[in-house]
Amino acid sequence: MASAPVLKKTNSISSESGGSESGSEEILSAMPSEDSIKQNESKDMRKTRSTILRSRSINGELFEYFGWVYHVGVNSIGQEFCHFRYLFIRGTYVEMYKRDPHEKPGTKPIRRGVIGPTLLVEEIGRRKVSHGDVYVLRFYNRLDQTKKGEIACATAADAQKWLEAFDHAKQQVEYEVTRGRSVRDRLSMEDEINLEGHRPRVRRYAHGLKRFVKIKGADQEHELLRRASSVRSDKLDAYFDAEGGDVVDVHEWKCVRTINGVRIFEDVANSKSGKGILVKAVGVIDASADTVFEVILSPDRLKRYEWDTLTGDLELVDSVNGHFDVVYGTFDRRYLTWRQSKRDFVFSRQWFRGQDGTYTILQFPAVHKKRPSRSGYKRTKINPSTWEISNLSASSSSNSARCLVTQTLEISSKGWLKWRNNHCPKFEKTVPYALLSQVAGVKEYIGANPTLKLEESTTSVHSKLRALSRSDSEFEDTDETDEFYDAIAASSSSDEDDSETDIEFDEEKKLQIESISLGSASLSAPRDSAAENNELDSNEPAMDLEPSQFRGSMRKSKDESDKNCWSSLDGSGFMIRGKTYLKDSTKVKGGEPLLRLIAVDWLKAEDPLSKVALHPKSLVQSDLGQKLPFVLVINLQLPARPNYSLVLYYAADRPVKEDSLLSKFADGTDMFRDSRFKLIPSIVEGYWMVKRAVGTKACLLGKAVSCKYLRQDNFLEIDVDIGSSSVARSVVGLVLGYVTSLVVDLAIVIEAKEEEELPEYVLGTVRLNRVSPDSAEQLDA
């Protein structure tokens, strides 16, 4: 598992891997010999290929990330491949090697390219590769999704480290562009090519893979999977917000028991409703969130026998995708119930990792055609439950990793109240009690197996911080670049084919490990005139923005009990970054939104709707809409049949002030917008499992899903393609199933990253009251 990042600094950058034209091979391309490349490529291509070695980052420093990954995919004849490769990110420049260039100086990369602003990286979950599971990252061009490719890591933690490394590289690109990089450079950065090309010499490759599998064997390959993805990074964890949610909690949790160091809570507010009781078990475990996640998700029977009294016998029935599966199990009736019949169960598991590193696992009772009712067994319905696993700061006495593990479930009040009030022993023989005991079981299991902690300390993300020196000047005058897609998706050459020497190298490789260690305040911050004066031109008269003047397909609510409508609200229910956030991570309650919500459209169409603001029926195209100083149009594209779009129209009553944060966001680059566009969700009313799935943490949408921006006239439209992420698509599917009973609050924030941008302000809010999908208005293209 990945440990805390390592930071190094050296005086110069080595150009051992090809500081000349001939060394600039395209990553993931099928590369002929170097001589043939020189003979056949055009002068323009040679010019492009010779300019991709340089990237200047903040304060004149160049960051590097490197480690072992798997390059996975499908070749031109439909056969899957999996190559063990060394990936190296230097600034915005990426190289892929067959060997560690640090161990063998002078080694040339087999793939090469740069990371551009249109690159999107998505973690698509677990996948079975030969004898082990890996976590796959997909790369694609947000402007052309046919350009794509995949790498894989041994653990979810390593996959996340690589995600952050690529994100850091994109931030360096953004820095260059915002600091005056030429327009020609900006345009050339959009020149991205396919990640998946034809792969010649497939027969040789397939033969090599066959030898690889035979030689390794299950045990040795499993060990390779363990140590394959070792990436070291710098202070990537610091990119995320402080611990805690970004929404004021509406639950009233009361501790009613402490068992084996695990606290048992009851939601007092929920119990007053007369429905089922919402309870949770909370424990601190001395291991990283990544380790605990792997333990909980693993179906290994022998390991589960050591901590799980209920779901120890698990069998994988179906793997829907990398974040969703269905399992079947049985349990021994003697341990959990007085009944004599044998018991079995089927439930689904859906999991995802938040941008703050928190894992969420949703478990639902399920039915599957592969596991019908079984003779001699009584099918038990496992209580719906959730796991939340979040890292904690290291204790002052130790630098070891710790995490907070919470398991929440809803149970019948009858047995619970007897146990809570009178300690009735019968409750301790029930399925809910066995579920609540799982946190204690995991805690004791990890505490009794120090090798688990050892594993997480032997895999990490490598990074170096290199100061730019005069020796790097040969790269400074480059004009054009090959995108990372040039590097990661093209066809393999003979250099890419695995051979017997590669196998021996893999077996003997010893990775060098270096690692070091890397609260919300309930203050109120109502919006004063300062934020408005900083963002909007106070010298201009304010325009009347009464919503009754504007028409949307969804009506404004009359009162709190109204259905299928929207309303505006202040930002006091959301926590945003305070003035001193960069020093102490303090968050404060939001104030009044800067922009006014004037209308909402609830639309449907056969194909996803985009550029809604240009539609003749759009509010923006009306006479009154064209007179507005500035309109922010948020188009949330919800994948379903048909496709839905929730379109929010926010207006400013004065022109946007030049050089303000809002102006930089409206008129900036897509990369800048992606790094700042933040959404904070909150399920105010609704099924508690949906609340857990959606969460309360702010999400940088541009990093989670594909966002496309349209800036024209007096408006900026943001088309948010939620279907571009498998995780987001699954969560939205769950939400749509309960949407008629949900009250949803959303807040939009431009993330502040510099001290002069603090404190943050709420850009806009909306409350959606029990929306009906059937009420969506059909919109013709």
Side-chain angles (χ1 to χ4, degrees):
M1 312 292 279
S3 64
V6 175
L7 182 62
K8 290 185 177 180
K9 180 178 286 189
T10 58
N11 293 325
S12 63
I13 300 176
S14 169
S15 57
E16 63 191 35
S17 305
S20 64
E21 286 182 282
S22 61
S24 299
E25 295 147 331
E26 298 173 348
I27 299 179
L28 302 185
S29 299
M31 302 308 325
S33 68
E34 197 166 277
D35 292 336
S36 64
I37 289 176
K38 290 182 178 180
Q39 293 172 3
N40 297 325
E41 67 183 355
S42 66
K43 293 181 179 179
D44 290 340
M45 178 59 72
R46 284 200 298 270
K47 181 180 179 183
T48 299
R49 286 157 50 81
S50 66
T51 62
I52 60 179
L53 286 174
R54 180 66 176 158
S55 173
R56 184 179 296 277
S57 67
I58 299 173
N59 298 327
E61 294 172 330
L62 196 67
F63 289 84
E64 295 181 346
Y65 308 88
F66 45 87
W68 290 98
V69 299
Y70 286 100
H71 174 207
V72 297
V74 179
N75 60 33
S76 59
I77 63 173
Q79 292 181 329
E80 294 185 353
F81 62 84
C82 177
H83 293 305
F84 195 47
R85 296 290 177 250
Y86 197 87
L87 197 63
F88 201 124
I89 301 177
R90 179 185 292 119
T92 61
Y93 181 52
V94 187
E95 296 170 330
M96 183 178 282
Y97 296 85
K98 293 174 71 174
R99 290 170 170 78
D100 185 348
H102 300 99
E103 295 179 0
K104 291 183 176 291
T107 300
K108 292 185 178 181
I110 58 174
R111 312 281 177 93
R112 173 174 294 169
V114 296
I115 299 171
T118 57
L119 171 71
L120 285 182
V121 187
E122 178 188 4
E123 194 259 312
I124 62 174
R126 295 198 303 176
R127 182 184 299 171
K128 193 77 172 178
V129 176
S130 296
H131 299 288
D133 289 329
V134 294
Y135 291 83
V136 181
L137 298 181
R138 175 178 296 158
F139 302 86
Y140 62 94
N141 184 332
R142 64 179 175 81
L143 301 180
D144 183 0
Q145 295 192 21
T146 62
K147 300 177 180 179
K148 56 188 178 180
E150 294 177 345
I151 63 171
C153 306
T155 68
D158 291 336
Q160 185 65 24
K161 296 290 184 183
W162 277 113
L163 279 173
E164 294 163 1
F166 278 100
D167 177 65
H168 193 192
K170 288 184 66 176
Q171 290 186 33
Q172 293 190 41
V173 175
E174 174 199 336
Y175 180 83
E176 292 177 358
V177 172
T178 57
R179 293 304 185 274
R181 188 169 184 167
S182 71
V183 175
R184 182 175 64 173
D185 286 340
R186 298 186 198 183
L187 292 176
S188 69
M189 293 176 69
E190 298 291 332
D191 240 355
E192 298 172 347
I193 68 170
N194 202 339
L195 292 174
E196 292 182 333
H198 294 294
R199 299 175 59 84
R201 306 191 65 173
V202 171
R203 292 181 180 275
R204 178 178 174 183
Y205 158 73
H207 177 71
L209 181 59
K210 184 176 180 181
R211 291 175 57 84
F212 172 77
V213 173
K214 284 185 177 180
I215 292 176
K216 291 299 178 188
D219 293 338
Q220 293 188 29
E221 185 167 343
H222 178 69
E223 179 59 27
L224 265 181
L225 289 173
R226 278 192 178 283
R227 63 187 179 86
S229 175
S230 61
V231 190
R232 292 201 182 166
S233 69
D234 68 323
K235 302 176 181 178
L236 294 174
D237 293 340
Y239 293 162
F240 299 119
D241 291 338
E243 297 162 7
D246 293 312
V247 175
V248 178
D249 197 352
V250 296
H251 295 286
E252 292 182 44
W253 293 108
K254 181 180 180 181
C255 183
V256 297
R257 286 279 192 281
T258 301
I259 302 175
N260 297 327
V262 174
R263 295 171 294 160
I264 308 296
F265 288 84
E266 173 188 350
D267 182 8
V268 180
N270 186 70
S271 62
K272 295 175 183 178
S273 66
K275 301 177 182 178
I277 304 293
L278 204 60
V279 297
K280 67 178 181 180
V282 181
V284 176
I285 298 180
D286 293 329
S288 70
D290 306 300
T291 297
V292 175
F293 170 75
E294 297 286 351
V295 169
I296 294 172
L297 215 60
S298 172
D300 189 302
R301 179 174 301 180
L302 295 179
K303 292 180 180 178
R304 295 191 77 94
Y305 276 175
E306 295 192 47
W307 65 269
D308 190 355
T309 60
L310 178 64
T311 61
D313 288 297
L314 279 188
E315 173 189 344
L316 181 64
V317 176
D318 190 11
S319 181
V320 180
N321 56 46
H323 296 275
F324 191 101
D325 65 16
V326 179
V327 294
Y328 168 82
T330 61
F331 64 85
D332 194 325
R333 62 192 182 279
R334 295 172 298 175
Y335 299 146
L336 299 177
T337 178
W338 54 270
R339 300 179 186 273
Q340 296 302 307
S341 60
K342 296 180 180 179
R343 298 300 181 97
D344 66 352
F345 52 85
V346 178
F347 65 88
S348 65
R349 304 184 300 179
Q350 183 177 351
W351 61 89
F352 45 89
R353 191 182 197 271
Q355 290 181 336
D356 64 337
T358 297
Y359 289 99
T360 300
I361 306 174
L362 310 177
Q363 298 180 164
F364 290 95
V367 176
H368 199 281
K369 62 182 180 181
K370 292 183 180 180
R371 285 294 180 270
S373 298
R374 186 176 172 185
S375 177
Y377 284 81
K378 183 176 177 59
R379 183 61 51 90
T380 295
K381 184 178 180 181
I382 298 291
N383 298 63
S385 62
T386 66
W387 291 87
E388 293 177 26
I389 313 159
S390 55
N391 284 309
L392 296 174
S393 302
S395 62
S396 57
S397 58
S398 172
N399 287 329
S400 60
R402 301 184 307 150
C403 67
L404 185 70
V405 181
T406 303
Q407 187 178 29
T408 308
L409 63 148
E410 187 176 15
I411 63 177
S412 171
S413 60
K414 186 176 179 181
W416 168 259
L417 294 176
K418 288 183 178 180
W419 179 77
R420 185 194 67 182
N421 298 331
N422 305 316
H423 204 81
C424 178
K426 284 187 177 181
F427 180 72
E428 298 175 5
K429 288 284 188 178
T430 63
V431 169
Y433 185 82
L435 289 171
L436 287 173
S437 300
Q438 287 180 323
V439 175
V442 172
K443 181 177 181 180
E444 293 301 314
Y445 169 69
I446 291 178
N449 289 273
T451 54
L452 292 172
K453 301 177 185 178
L454 181 61
E455 288 172 5
E456 74 184 34
S457 66
T458 58
T459 310
S460 61
V461 177
H462 296 256
S463 81
K464 287 185 180 180
L465 174 60
R466 291 183 159 181
L468 299 176
S469 68
R470 288 185 175 271
S471 64
D472 304 316
S473 60
E474 58 186 290
F475 309 124
E476 289 184 358
D477 298 326
T478 61
D479 295 325
E480 301 178 39
T481 59
D482 290 336
E483 283 295 346
F484 177 59
Y485 298 105
D486 301 356
I488 243 212
S491 327
S492 296
S493 68
S494 58
D495 289 337
E496 177 68 0
D497 295 328
D498 280 344
S499 64
E500 187 171 350
T501 56
D502 284 324
I503 296 169
E504 309 226 341
F505 171 72
D506 289 341
E507 288 180 327
E508 297 173 0
K509 191 181 307 297
K510 301 294 182 183
L511 300 178
Q512 301 300 318
I513 308 301
E514 303 175 57
S515 63
I516 61 172
S517 306
L518 283 164
S520 298
S522 58
L523 304 175
S524 180
R527 182 185 121 199
D528 56 16
S529 58
E532 189 168 354
N533 290 338
N534 289 336
E535 302 297 315
L536 304 180
D537 190 347
S538 58
N539 296 323
E540 296 290 334
M543 183 176 179
D544 181 19
L545 297 179
E546 176 55 43
S548 60
Q549 303 177 78
F550 306 93
R551 180 192 173 278
S553 63
M554 182 182 290
R555 62 183 179 83
K556 194 173 186 297
S557 67
K558 299 175 182 177
D559 52 52
E560 292 185 0
S561 62
D562 204 357
K563 297 181 179 180
N564 198 31
C565 55
W566 65 271
S567 60
S568 56
L569 64 158
D570 64 24
S572 61
F574 302 95
M575 305 300 295
I576 58 177
R577 298 182 176 187
K579 183 64 178 176
T580 60
Y581 179 83
L582 297 180
K583 299 176 182 177
D584 55 20
S585 299
T586 296
K587 291 185 178 180
V588 298
K589 290 183 178 180
E592 289 294 324
L594 180 70
L595 303 183
R596 181 82 175 269
L597 180 62
I598 57 175
V600 175
D601 274 332
W602 178 227
L603 308 172
K604 63 182 177 182
E606 289 302 316
D607 298 318
L609 295 171
S610 60
K611 300 182 179 179
V612 177
L614 297 181
H615 196 281
K617 294 183 179 180
S618 170
L619 178 152
V620 179
Q621 298 302 321
S622 66
D623 292 339
L624 189 57
Q626 293 179 6
K627 295 178 182 178
L628 294 171
F630 175 73
V631 184
L632 176 64
V633 183
I634 308 294
N635 176 20
L636 300 177
Q637 300 170 329
L638 309 180
R641 292 185 182 273
N643 288 277
Y644 294 98
S645 273
L646 180 70
V647 187
L648 310 173
Y649 299 91
Y650 295 96
D653 58 2
R654 293 181 174 88
V656 178
K657 183 178 290 188
E658 204 172 321
D659 294 329
S660 65
L661 181 58
L662 179 55
S663 175
K664 294 176 183 177
F665 180 80
D667 300 317
T669 64
D670 288 355
M671 184 174 292
F672 178 82
R673 294 162 177 159
D674 282 345
S675 67
R676 300 300 189 99
F677 180 37
K678 186 159 66 176
L679 180 73
I680 307 176
S682 174
I683 306 294
V684 180
E685 294 181 21
Y687 185 35
W688 70 273
M689 286 284 282
V690 179
K691 292 183 179 181
R692 296 292 173 179
V694 173
T696 59
K697 287 292 294 182
C699 174
L700 286 170
L701 286 181
K703 296 181 180 179
V705 296
S706 174
C707 294
K708 295 183 179 180
Y709 304 88
L710 175 64
R711 180 70 166 110
Q712 287 189 16
D713 304 324
N714 67 331
F715 71 88
L716 169 67
E717 178 176 336
I718 307 177
D719 295 330
V720 183
D721 182 10
I722 295 177
S724 63
S725 164
S726 58
V727 173
R729 188 165 57 246
S730 298
V731 173
V732 167
L734 176 64
V735 170
L736 287 176
Y738 294 90
V739 68
T740 56
S741 62
L742 300 180
V743 176
V744 183
D745 287 355
L746 301 175
I748 297 166
V749 179
I750 302 176
E751 183 167 270
K753 294 186 176 181
E754 306 294 339
E755 189 167 356
E756 59 269 19
E757 298 171 349
L758 292 170
E760 287 181 336
Y761 58 86
V762 177
L763 189 61
T765 63
V766 65
R767 169 166 289 181
L768 303 168
N769 297 311
R770 305 172 185 87
V771 175
S772 171
D774 296 335
S775 67
E777 182 179 297
Q778 184 76 32
L779 185 67
D780 298 327

